[in-house]
């Protein structure tokens, strides 16, 4: 990806504003609510401000290039928190502060995996977050490959004493993430000594995808790592040839032996923080619209798509309101969450700390699905509120972000939304590239297009501004 020149940005702006104008002339107010007319100018200014500059992308590149990845408990996350506080103050946001959260501190340490029989080959791997270590000399054992939990269970005796590879091709994240999160306990119950899991993501360019595992209380804790799809397929082919007794399959021996070494461990919990900044409401400052992303990331790549981009585009909503002197009726609050990836404690701490004011949270939005071309928003709330946000989204037709999907939410806003039944939204974007780089060393800022990112910022800004400013509370 090359950063677009000024002329490309100018063109994007021209197209957007022209399109918005055409829409208005072509349809008048007949296909949209008359009350929205009061917001057309503010929406056009916010969209114009976002698209006139690559500010969001440049800010994200500072975060991801200079500070880098930001796992809970790491010095990088501490630096990122301080940086965000300083930058929010420089933007002129109000009530900028941190709210302490105690977070787990998991350290990956050195790690490696290799095939040692029938011949030496390295395996591209990443330990799973929360995994225990192997002994210092590693675990060396015969490999057992299973294509499903059912195949693993049906061959429990072969799993006993083995290193198990769960090789389930990626379909969707929701369908396949369970092999990463609960595979270690499933294999551990059968006496497996370690788990390798095919990375949860589409086959790409031999990338391992990390992510959290959860050990069941009643199963032995065995070390677990994700391996690249290509390595999983290679091991599958080797195992298939051995079991089929294919000609020459036993060259070098009649079994596959793998060695796994991991130093992964927990250190005592440490203090981290959610970051809060606001544009205080001019009439009803106690009523709050929250926009948010999570500042922590995994400890590989740079946490650009997951979720530095989500942090920056939601923060942009407030920066641009401030810059354009748009102060809505209600307060708009940015929250940058800590510890989404391996604990979710930022979201829980916010719910507990803000419990008494959750009833005055008008809407909460989280952006954690990437900042590619925006389609609109997912929304969960009453039918009446859905009609309103669907009307507001027509202001985003010019940038293609006017769709309101059936459900919206996020891991960090979840606890508060659930507790106080707060209408919730997620930024919906073109998701075709997200899982290619999710939790990998390739999650870097070059995967993100500055114009896409500017459109995401514009979409969040317009939605948050109108919801915060409209006379009636959302849903009333
Ligand atoms: Zn995320």
């Amino acid at each position: 990806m090359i950063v677009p020149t000024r002329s490309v940005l100018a063109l994007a702006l021209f197209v957007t504003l022209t399109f918005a104008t055409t829409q208005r002339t072509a349809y008048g107010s007949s296909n949209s609510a008359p009350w929205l007319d009061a917001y057309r100018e503010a929406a056009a200014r916010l969209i114009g401000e976002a698209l006139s500059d690559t500010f969001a992308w440049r800010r994200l590149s500072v975060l991801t290039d200079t500070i880098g990845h930001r796992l809970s408990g790491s010095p990088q996350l501490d630096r990122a928190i301080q940086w965000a506080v300083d930058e929010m103050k420089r933007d002129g946001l109000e009530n900028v502060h941190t709210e302490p959260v105690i977070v787990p501190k998991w350290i990956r340490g050195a790690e490696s995996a290799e095939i040692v029989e029938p011949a030496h080959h390295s395996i591209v791997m990443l330990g799973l977050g929360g995994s225990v270590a192997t002994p210092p000399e590693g675990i060396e054992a015969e490999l057992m490959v299973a294509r499903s939990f059912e195949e693993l269970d049906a061959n429990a005796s072969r799993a006993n004493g083995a290193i198990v590879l769960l090789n389930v091709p990626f379909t969707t994240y929701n369908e396949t993430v369970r092999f990463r999160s609960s595979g270690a306990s499933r294999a551990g119950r059968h006496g497996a000594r370690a788990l390798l899991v095919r990375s949860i993501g589409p086959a790409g360019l031999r990338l391992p995808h990390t992510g959290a595992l959860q050990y069941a209380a009643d199963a032995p804790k065995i070390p677990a790592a994700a391996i690249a799809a290509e390595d999983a397929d290679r091991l599958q082919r080797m195992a298939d040839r051995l079991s089929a007794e294919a000609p020459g399959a036993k060259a070098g021996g009649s079994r596959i032996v793998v060695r796994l070494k991991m130093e992964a461990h927990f250190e005592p919990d440490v203090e981290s923080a959610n970051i809060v900044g606001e544009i205080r409401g001019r009439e009803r400052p106690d009523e709050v619209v929250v926009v948010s992303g999570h500042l922590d990331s995994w400890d590989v790549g740079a946490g650009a798509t997951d979720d530095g981009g989500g942090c920056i585009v939601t923060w942009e909503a407030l920066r641009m309101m401030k810059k354009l002197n748009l102060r809505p009726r209600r307060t708009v609050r940015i929250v940058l969450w800590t510890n989404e990836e391996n604990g979710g404690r930022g979201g829980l701490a916010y719910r507990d700390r803000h419990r008494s004011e959750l009833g005055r949270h008008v809407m909460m939005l989280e952006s954690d699905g990437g900042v590619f071309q925006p389609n609109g928003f997912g929304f969960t709330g009453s039918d009446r509120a859905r009609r309103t946000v669907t009307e507001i989204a027509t202001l985003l037709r010019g940038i293609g972000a006017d769709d309101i999907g059936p459900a919206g939410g996020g891991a960090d806003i979840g606890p508060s939304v659930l507790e106080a039944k707060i209408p919730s939204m997620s930024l919906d974007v073109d998701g075709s590239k997200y899982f290619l780089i999710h939790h990998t060393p390739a999650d870097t800022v070059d995967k993100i297009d500055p114009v896409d990112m500017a459109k995401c910022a514009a979409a969040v800004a317009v939605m948050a501004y109108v919801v915060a400013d409209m006379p009636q509370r959302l849903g009333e």
Side-chain angles (χ1 to χ4, degrees):
M1 243 305 307
I2 295 162
V3 182
T5 59
R6 257 171 216 287
S7 61
V8 174
L9 277 169
L11 177 66
L13 177 62
F14 174 76
V15 169
T16 301
L17 294 180
T18 311
F19 191 58
T21 313
T22 317
Q23 290 273 319
R24 216 178 311 161
T25 348
Y27 300 110
S29 54
S30 60
N31 82 328
S32 65
W35 70 272
L36 273 180
D37 288 343
Y39 291 107
R40 292 190 194 284
E41 190 195 336
R45 289 178 70 203
L46 287 165
I47 294 168
E49 176 64 27
L51 290 181
S52 67
D53 197 359
T54 57
F55 183 90
W57 190 92
R58 295 201 314 273
R59 179 166 263 176
L60 178 63
S61 69
V62 170
L63 171 68
T64 57
D65 291 340
T66 306
I67 297 174
H69 55 64
R70 307 168 298 279
L71 186 60
S72 288
S74 67
Q76 295 95 315
L77 180 57
D78 290 345
R79 272 201 288 283
I81 290 169
Q82 191 53 54
W83 168 82
V85 166
D86 293 345
E87 291 288 300
M88 281 185 190
K89 287 180 178 166
R90 190 178 320 199
D91 290 346
L93 303 195
E94 296 145 21
N95 194 20
V96 175
H97 65 278
T98 58
E99 299 181 351
V101 183
I102 302 300
V103 299
K105 181 174 183 176
W106 178 80
I107 309 265
R108 174 178 303 281
E111 54 183 18
S112 64
E114 58 189 319
I115 305 171
V116 296
E117 279 185 41
H120 271 269
H121 302 285
S122 64
I123 296 173
V124 175
M125 59 81 79
L126 276 174
L128 296 184
S131 177
V132 296
T134 64
E137 69 279 14
I139 292 173
E140 189 174 306
E142 191 166 342
L143 185 76
M144 180 225 169
V145 186
R147 289 184 185 82
S148 64
F149 277 151
E150 292 69 30
E151 188 179 346
L152 170 63
D153 294 344
N155 293 278
S157 63
R158 282 181 51 222
N160 190 15
I163 292 178
V164 166
L165 166 61
L166 272 170
N167 181 32
V168 187
F170 179 79
T171 49
T172 66
Y173 191 70
N174 284 346
E175 274 178 30
T176 47
V177 70
R178 63 201 173 104
F179 299 106
R180 183 190 83 206
S181 51
S182 63
S185 291
R186 190 91 166 215
R189 282 199 188 93
H190 297 315
R193 297 176 63 200
L195 174 80
L196 301 178
V197 61
R198 182 189 180 105
S199 284
I200 308 307
L205 293 172
R206 210 177 178 195
L207 277 174
H209 298 236
T210 190
L213 61 66
Q214 277 89 41
Y215 289 120
D218 62 345
K221 291 185 178 180
I222 61 171
I227 68 173
E230 289 88 337
D231 294 74
D233 284 337
R234 174 192 212 167
L235 289 163
Q236 180 81 61
R237 287 192 300 272
M238 290 168 71
D240 289 349
R241 282 194 291 265
L242 281 177
S243 61
E245 307 217 342
K250 290 188 177 159
S254 57
R255 57 184 203 153
I256 302 165
V257 175
V258 166
R259 183 188 300 135
L260 177 68
K261 276 192 188 180
M262 290 173 62
E263 293 178 348
H265 64 281
F266 280 100
E267 292 185 0
D269 289 359
V270 293
E271 188 175 306
S272 182
N274 293 329
I275 305 154
V276 174
E278 293 179 337
I279 301 289
R280 296 291 292 171
R282 67 171 196 278
E283 267 181 33
R284 298 193 210 162
D286 294 345
E287 294 187 6
V288 182
V289 170
V290 168
V291 294
S292 66
H294 67 85
L295 193 58
D296 71 303
S297 75
W298 281 106
D299 57 339
V300 295
T305 285
D306 189 10
D307 180 31
C311 291
I312 304 295
V313 298
T314 49
W315 173 359
E316 278 290 272
L318 283 80
R319 185 187 71 86
M320 294 191 298
M321 283 179 214
K322 182 77 190 178
K323 185 173 176 196
L324 298 176
N325 240 325
L326 290 167
R327 183 178 295 279
R329 205 177 300 263
R330 300 175 187 78
T331 294
V332 179
R333 178 180 293 168
I334 173 77
V335 183
L336 301 186
W337 311 99
T338 190
N339 190 225
E340 189 274 343
E341 294 292 4
N342 62 338
R345 295 197 201 167
L348 293 168
Y350 183 91
R351 176 200 64 192
D352 295 345
R353 185 185 182 104
H354 294 270
R355 193 163 255 138
S356 65
E357 63 158 350
L358 289 181
R360 294 187 298 280
H361 278 48
V362 170
M363 189 270 278
M364 295 183 85
L365 179 152
E366 182 160 357
S367 169
D368 189 18
V371 288
F372 303 108
Q373 162 64 43
N375 302 324
F377 301 88
F379 178 75
T380 297
S382 68
D383 289 347
R384 194 184 187 92
R386 169 174 292 277
R387 277 197 296 280
T388 304
V389 296
T390 303
E391 287 171 354
I392 298 169
T394 62
L395 297 171
L396 298 167
R397 206 168 272 161
I399 54 169
D402 57 333
D403 185 62
I404 298 295
D412 303 288
I413 62 176
S416 300
V417 162
L418 201 66
E419 171 122 342
K421 300 192 169 51
I422 301 162
S424 58
M425 295 187 111
S426 39
L427 179 65
D428 273 2
V429 303
D430 169 14
S432 59
K433 288 180 282 188
Y434 184 77
F435 284 109
L436 277 170
I437 55 171
H438 183 246
H439 298 178
T440 75
D443 184 359
T444 48
V445 73
D446 48 283
K447 309 301 185 304
I448 297 171
D449 179 320
V451 175
D452 285 349
M453 202 175 163
K455 289 180 186 171
C456 288
V460 173
V462 170
M463 182 56 70
Y465 177 75
V466 179
V467 171
D469 192 69
M470 59 190 196
Q472 75 284 16
R473 181 175 164 158
L474 181 64
E476 281 176 356

